[in-house]
Amino acid sequence: MDDHWRASIIDSEIQQRQEEGYDVAALRDRFERSGASGLSVEAYESFWQELDALPAPRAFPYEEPSDLEDIRALRPEGPRRIKLSLAEDVLADKMLGAWLGRCAGCLAGKPVEGWPRERIRQYLEAGNEYPLAGYMPYILAAPEESRVRPQVQPWTRGYISEAPRDDDTDYTILGLHIVERHGRDFTTEDVAQEWLETLPYLRTYTAERIAYHNLVLGLEPPATATYRNPYREWIGAQIRADGFGYVNPGDLQLAAEYGWRDARLSHVKNGIYGEMWAAAMIAAAFTTDDIEKIIRIGLSEIPANCRLAEALGRSMAAFSTHPTWEQAWDELLQLYGGYHRVHTINNAVIVALGLLYGRGDFSKTVSIAVMGGLDTDCNGATAGSVIGAMLGAKRIPEAYVAPLNNTLRSAVFGYDGTRISDLAKRTLAVARSK
């Protein structure tokens, strides 16, 4: 770890503590005056000691526990479980739709990952491609400041030959693998074992990489999520939810619980809630085509008075007020634009807007989730997973399905080049095993 990386870690931790309600004003001022572009080992350790010694917030208006029973005690009312009354072929089609939706949604956002929406719009308008419809085009006429890198050309429309490797799909595979290998009573420790055995360290990022490092140091959950991990409420857990929703169609509470068991390895509070929300939404998407109901069901599995629930509630209110997603996102950015571009909360808002303004149309749903910017591959994947499970594979446009050639690349050991249809069949077998 060099001086600049140490400074980045401390800067992120100060921001994280501020978002959790801590008074960090004096510490931030001292950090910025000390030469925040780089920190010695001694200064780095000193800042961590000060951060760990901060007094607990006194007037924080949210209730945000990380323990499962405490989370459940603060949930709003919900159905918890919806009886699944689907013919076998219909459920199979929805399962394949969920997998295809995730792969396609991820790929739609992959070429512009991390971009703000203004840059995405400028890029698309240069090719007369705004609003986006389908996979991202490769636009040579785009201004230099808004141009995609040449390396992403294989991920763009007309050049795609498979679903490329991405952490957003690695974890979907890993979720299925965990339940297949360890059964429905799998634990967070089982998740940790599978990370160490099947997931390359350099294919993990932010909170997951810190948690992986902490495992190697000998820490156990939940300390793996909390020890010097400034990314513990970022989006990493939310992108791991899908497999747990797939194997529990209609069982909303259990899908959320599986998400909790997985998330607590690397995340706390809203980082955990993002995975629980997404898993419950996906489990619900197998049972209804009412998008607002799906989002509310997801919310029924997390604390009613947490920052994520507040942001998603405001997203639904904005949908009822504004005729376009752009207008709604403008309003919500005033509230949530200060979060890091890969935080759970602001990206969950974009997912919700994609689902709401997509109005049941696969292409519009995924495209809005991508055009909103920030963590575009994550948001396209989550929105695609929900809408894919709701619609089923037969109703996903062929323009999204055919280029994938039924092939998913992966860094998860033993899964590279897997047929997407085979993953869906295996997932269906697990879902039917209850």
Side-chain angles (χ1 to χ4, degrees), residues 355-419:
L355 291 168
L356 292 165
Y357 285 93
R359 302 180 192 276
D361 180 280
F362 183 87
S363 184
K364 289 180 181 178
T365 297
V366 167
S367 294
I368 291 169
V370 169
M371 289 187 294
L374 305 181
D375 210 339
T376 51
D377 60 334
C378 296
N379 299 333
T382 299
S385 198
V386 173
I387 195 70
M390 189 186 92
L391 296 176
K394 293 177 182 177
R395 295 171 64 190
I396 297 178
E398 189 65 12
Y400 285 96
V401 176
L404 301 179
N405 286 306
N406 198 25
T407 303
L408 176 58
R409 306 302 300 270
S410 180
V412 179
F413 181 75
Y415 284 90
D416 190 33
T418 304
R419 291 169 62 87

Side-chain angles (χ1 to χ4, degrees), residues 162-184:
E162 60 191 359
R165 180 264 149 193
D166 195 282
D167 59 333
D168 292 271
T169 47
D170 283 344
Y171 288 114
T172 316
I173 288 172
L174 195 55
L176 170 62
H177 174 79
I178 288 165
V179 182
E180 284 184 325
R181 181 173 182 186
H182 297 278
R184 289 188 169 274

Side-chain angles (χ1 to χ4, degrees), residues 122-135:
Q122 185 179 36
Y123 174 75
L124 291 171
E125 286 180 339
N128 197 28
E129 292 274 3
Y130 190 87
L132 178 66
Y135 288 118

Side-chain angles (χ1 to χ4, degrees), residues 1 5-20 44 48 51-52 205-211 214 223-235 266-268 271 339-340 342-344:
M1 184 184 293
W5 183 245
R6 283 190 289 269
S8 174
I9 290 282
I10 295 300
D11 186 41
S12 295
E13 180 63 24
I14 291 171
Q15 180 65 27
Q16 171 64 28
R17 297 285 179 129
Q18 180 177 323
E19 291 164 1
E20 292 176 304
Y44 176 76
W48 269 117
L51 284 159
D52 290 337
Y205 311 96
T206 64
E208 284 72 26
R209 184 170 292 186
I210 298 289
N214 286 340
T224 48
T226 57
Y227 181 70
R228 298 193 173 183
N229 183 0
Y231 316 119
R232 55 191 177 271
E233 288 192 289
W234 287 18
I235 201 174
S266 54
H267 286 72
V268 302
Y339 284 109
H340 191 277
V342 294
H343 199 279
T344 295

Side-chain angles (χ1 to χ4, degrees), residues 62-63 71 74-76 299 302-310:
Y62 304 101
E63 294 178 281
I71 292 170
L74 296 171
R75 296 176 298 180
L299 285 170
I302 67 175
N305 184 30
C306 68
R307 284 169 283 152
L308 179 60
E310 178 186 76

Side-chain angles (χ1 to χ4, degrees), residues 264-329:
R264 65 188 289 267
L265 177 61
S266 54
H267 286 72
V268 302
K269 301 178 183 179
N270 293 276
I272 291 175
Y273 309 154
E275 182 162 1
M276 297 178 75
W277 170 69
M281 275 203 305
I282 292 164
F286 287 91
T287 71
T288 179
D289 59 1
D290 184 333
I291 290 292
E292 291 190 58
K293 181 179 180 181
I294 289 170
I295 295 173
R296 292 190 188 282
I297 283 173
L299 285 170
S300 74
E301 291 297 331
I302 67 175
N305 184 30
C306 68
R307 284 169 283 152
L308 179 60
E310 178 186 76
L312 291 168
R314 286 177 170 167
S315 302
M316 298 183 79
F319 172 64
S320 69
T321 303
H322 298 291
T324 70
W325 72 268
E326 291 98 336
Q327 292 169 333
W329 190 212

